[in-house]
Amino acid sequence: MATVDYRSLAEGIVREVGGEDNIVSAAHCATRLRLKLRDESKADKAAVEKLPGVITVMQAGGQYQVVVGNNVPSVYAELGRITKLGGDEAPADGDDAPKGNLFNRFIDLVSSIIQPIIWPLAAAGLLKAFLSMAVQFGWLNVESQTYVILAAAADAIFYFLPLFLAITAARWFKANQFTSMAIAGALVYPSIVALGAAGEPVSFAGLPVVMMNYTSSVIPIIVAVWLQGYLERFLNKVLPSALRNFTTPLLTILIMVPLVLMTVGPITTFIAQAISSGVNAVFGFAPWLAGAILGGFWQVFVLFGLHWGLIPIITNDLGTQGYSLLTGPLLSAVLAQAAATLAVFVRTRNTARRQVAGPAALSGFLAGITEPGIYGVNLPLKKPFYFGIAGGVVGGAIAAIGGSAANSFVFPSLLSIPAFTQVGNFTLQMIGTTAAVVIAFTLTFLFGPREAEAPVAAQPGETTPPAPSTDGSLADVGAPATGTSSGATAATATLPTGTATATEVAGTVEVLAPVDGTAVALAEVPDKVFASGALGKGLGIVPTDGHVHAPISGTVKAAMKSGHAYGIKSPGGVEVLVHIGIDTVQLDGRGFSPAVTRGDQVKAGDLLAVVDLDVVAEAGYDPTTLVVITNTAQLAGVVPTAQGTVTHGQPAVTVQI
């Protein structure tokens, strides 16, 4: 496909499927452009299949799948340049969100939307931790202008969090991101914040508006952008094209800002007030139970913005009696989540996760800033978040039994512990806090997900540089290949004892089984494109273990962000696609832990990824792992050899170069 003009191909696909207006969303997997069409009858399947570069077209699972092979990222990138449907960095459409129970889908949605800003959140949280430490030890005066400037630098991303989330949510829900930012900006606009703080009745066009504080909130703006997407698509459909460009954002902002203020605010405020009244009532007859509720679910309240219903009570208590019993359990709630994050840092072998978890745990412990840890580590992994809640429940109950409370408004953290020494039983506060930390850390360390270790990079001289591609297939996905080796080059990969060796000797290559399981003929795989051999010859393996290994030594030329597919090119020019499961791109990474990225050098037998087969099964997808030689047409011969039960590392396909 070296001669294929990707721009022309993308334009042709859009034209033949009925135009951009007929495309609801676009995404791609390892080999296919996946389109959701408003009306599939408008698409000319035969015309699409005749386009240069298109292998075939499939209509399945509510999607119009255009199979273009390994060059699909290039076609998708061009699609993003000529339409408003996305591009290289655009996530899957919100409608393609991971399947599963509603709560897990919600967690995955929130985690995916927040993920792009995790690094700035972690950095700002670390800065807040250092500022808190500097103030605590008297190195910096909070009245100084230096502190004010540094505090603004550290606080801005948290205060204006809805603005940042507006961008990522807009990309997820396929809404106009600048209109989303305008809506978010209105929610945190100084005069709107002041209206909420004043506590006086507010109305809009004669209708009452129940105000709340939207700064640092997460859920309101996500809901707003979700609704915005539907509104924009409706307006773009009914408005004349001559007016659409400026009328759509005008009407969207005009409708969405008052709508959010009049719906999200009242609903959130009502729930928050109900929680606040309930917790206060429980404190009257069962302090331990109220402490357990606050200690366990404070971070959940923060996630939904419901904690703002408790803040006025805490502030009032501090002003009238000098302390608030509601603050006692919060130390356990915050430090338990920080401890769970720290356990992930210690336990995980995923370098990227460790890089987030380390500073996130530090900012949680020292400054009480848990957003980086929760959104970047605990919530996406789920179990650490649950274990943090468990620790908070126990610690909060113990602290409440002792009547512990802070005598000033502080972020619960290690540095704020002196604020808890004057009211109630400080010993029980420390016992509860310690219990919360120990429980969260221990449970996460023992039972949390153990993510895959990235493979060790090949040392110089161990792997021959990849040969330049002559057909433009895998080489087009990543950086241009370098080197001068030919198909006759010999390269031997060393595997652990007891496994076969993948070799390229005298023009013969043994491609190994990437997983343990049962081999099946490619024609029996429940996917028409793979089964037809359109993407190349190979076989399928129904896995019995979730560890997926490299079937050949070479360069990783393609590594899907979702972790479900990998393309490897050997030094001799053999191109192998390892595709984990059928249609598992729909999981959008849930259950997959990649161990390699594009450009990595791997040896046969190195770990590519770890997949949770239970997650795949629960979501209703076939876990069959495919091993396909994608440049079969350029090779002398490709013969699948594995039959029956196989173990990873055993020869599976013999290739003649």
Side-chain angles (χ1 to χ4, degrees):
M1 288 182 63
T3 60
V4 173
D5 183 334
Y6 301 127
R7 172 64 67 89
S8 297
L9 177 55
E11 292 173 344
I13 291 172
V14 172
R15 181 180 63 253
E16 301 301 345
V17 300
E20 182 178 351
D21 289 343
N22 194 39
I23 305 175
V24 176
S25 65
H28 76 90
C29 60
T31 58
R32 311 172 194 192
L33 190 63
R34 294 171 175 262
L35 307 176
K36 282 194 173 182
L37 303 183
R38 288 187 171 85
D39 185 355
E40 290 193 3
S41 66
K42 293 182 178 179
D44 188 337
K45 180 179 178 181
V48 175
E49 289 182 329
K50 290 179 181 178
L51 294 172
V54 173
I55 298 173
T56 187
V57 171
M58 281 187 61
Q59 293 168 268
Q63 292 183 333
Y64 195 87
Q65 303 176 13
V66 183
V67 184
V68 295
N70 295 311
N71 296 310
V72 67
S74 299
V75 179
Y76 183 68
E78 292 299 334
L79 185 70
R81 295 186 180 100
I82 64 174
T83 69
K84 297 179 180 179
L85 295 169
D88 276 339
E89 298 302 320
D93 184 80
D95 292 336
D96 290 333
K99 296 177 175 60
N101 69 63
L102 187 60
F103 183 68
N104 281 340
R105 289 172 63 186
F106 168 76
I107 289 179
D108 290 333
L109 171 66
V110 174
S111 299
S112 298
I113 289 174
I114 294 181
Q115 190 63 40
I117 61 172
I118 283 302
W119 288 113
L121 277 176
L126 201 57
L127 179 55
K128 285 183 69 69
F130 290 146
L131 278 176
S132 297
M133 187 165 58
V135 171
Q136 187 72 21
F137 292 110
W139 301 335
L140 199 59
N141 189 331
V142 294
E143 302 296 331
S144 70
Q145 295 175 343
T146 299
Y147 175 83
V148 171
I149 293 173
L150 291 176
D155 288 339
I157 191 171
F158 297 104
Y159 186 90
F160 294 108
L161 188 58
L163 279 165
F164 293 87
L165 297 181
I167 298 173
T168 56
R171 294 177 58 209
W172 182 271
F173 295 118
K174 297 297 184 288
N176 185 297
Q177 63 182 17
F178 298 106
T179 303
S180 301
M181 292 178 68
I183 296 170
L187 299 182
V188 296
Y189 194 70
S191 59
I192 296 295
V193 175
L195 283 176
E200 299 177 355
V202 177
S203 64
F204 172 78
L207 299 174
V209 179
V210 179
M211 301 300 297
M212 67 167 283
N213 192 327
Y214 293 92
T215 61
S216 304
S217 64
V218 173
I219 303 303
I221 189 59
I222 293 178
V223 173
V225 176
W226 173 59
L227 294 174
Q228 173 200 341
Y230 284 102
L231 178 59
E232 284 183 340
R233 286 187 285 274
F234 170 76
L235 292 175
N236 285 332
K237 184 177 181 180
V238 300
L239 291 174
S241 58
L243 303 176
R244 188 180 302 157
N245 287 345
F246 66 89
T247 307
T248 294
L250 170 63
L251 292 177
T252 300
I253 294 172
L254 187 61
I255 293 171
M256 288 305 306
V257 172
L259 179 64
V260 172
L261 292 175
M262 289 191 293
T263 56
V264 175
I267 293 172
T268 304
T269 300
F270 174 78
I271 297 174
Q273 289 175 346
I275 292 174
S276 177
S277 300
V279 170
N280 265 324
V282 175
F283 257 112
F285 66 87
W288 66 270
L289 180 56
I293 294 172
L294 280 177
F297 296 97
W298 176 255
Q299 297 292 356
V300 179
F301 297 158
V302 171
L303 175 64
F304 286 91
L306 300 175
H307 65 302
W308 291 113
L310 295 167
I311 295 299
I313 297 176
I314 293 174
T315 304
N316 181 71
D317 288 346
L318 289 170
T320 57
Q321 61 189 25
Y323 64 91
S324 176
L325 291 175
L326 272 65
T327 60
L330 303 189
L331 194 60
S332 295
V334 170
L335 296 188
Q337 289 294 336
T341 305
L342 179 62
V344 172
F345 173 77
V346 174
R347 175 185 173 87
T348 186
R349 291 173 292 179
N350 185 303
T351 302
R353 188 79 70 186
R354 283 175 59 87
Q355 290 174 345
V356 174
L362 186 60
S363 68
F365 277 117
L366 295 184
I369 303 300
T370 54
E371 284 88 345
I374 289 178
Y375 299 131
V377 181
N378 297 355
L379 200 59
L381 296 178
K382 298 183 181 65
K383 284 185 179 180
F385 186 66
Y386 302 152
F387 294 150
I389 289 176
V393 166
V394 175
I398 295 173
I401 290 173
S404 176
N407 61 0
S408 60
F409 193 89
V410 294
F411 281 96
S413 66
L414 291 178
L415 295 178
S416 69
I417 286 178
F420 294 85
T421 60
Q422 303 301 315
V423 181
N425 191 320
F426 181 66
T427 300
L428 283 181
Q429 173 66 271
M430 288 296 93
I431 292 175
T433 302
T434 302
V437 169
V438 171
I439 290 172
F441 182 91
T442 303
L443 289 178
T444 303
F445 184 80
L446 294 179
F447 305 109
R450 186 179 295 278
E451 296 180 286
E453 180 180 11
V456 178
Q459 298 299 314
E462 290 183 335
T463 305
T464 307
S469 175
T470 58
D471 59 2
S473 48
L474 284 178
D476 288 337
V477 177
T482 59
T484 57
S485 60
S486 66
T489 301
T492 303
T494 303
L495 290 175
T497 303
T499 59
T501 300
T503 60
E504 294 187 12
V505 179
T508 299
V509 180
E510 290 290 351
V511 178
L512 311 180
V515 293
D516 300 340
T518 303
V520 295
L522 199 61
E524 298 175 8
V525 171
D527 183 286
K528 293 181 180 179
V529 175
F530 283 114
S532 69
L535 294 175
K537 294 182 180 180
L539 52 74
I541 300 175
V542 181
T544 56
D545 181 81
H547 291 74
V548 184
H549 305 265
I552 197 169
S553 299
T555 304
V556 178
K557 307 299 290 186
M560 295 297 295
K561 293 180 181 179
S562 55
H564 80 287
Y566 302 86
I568 303 174
K569 184 175 182 179
S570 78
V574 178
E575 298 175 357
V576 183
L577 171 66
V578 179
H579 195 287
I580 309 169
I582 306 298
D583 270 343
T584 46
V585 64
Q586 304 284 13
L587 288 170
D588 199 28
R590 185 163 61 92
F592 290 85
S593 298
V596 298
T597 58
R598 190 173 67 184
D600 286 350
Q601 297 290 324
V602 295
K603 292 182 180 180
D606 281 348
L607 189 67
L608 292 180
V610 176
V611 56
D612 189 329
L613 297 178
D614 290 335
V615 170
V616 175
E618 289 171 4
Y621 294 108
D622 188 319
T624 301
T625 298
L626 302 155
V627 185
V628 178
I629 315 304
T630 56
N631 63 333
T632 294
Q634 284 76 47
L635 300 171
V638 176
V639 180
T641 56
Q643 295 181 349
T645 302
V646 297
T647 302
H648 77 274
Q650 291 182 352
V653 181
T654 299
V655 176
Q656 294 292 329
I657 301 177

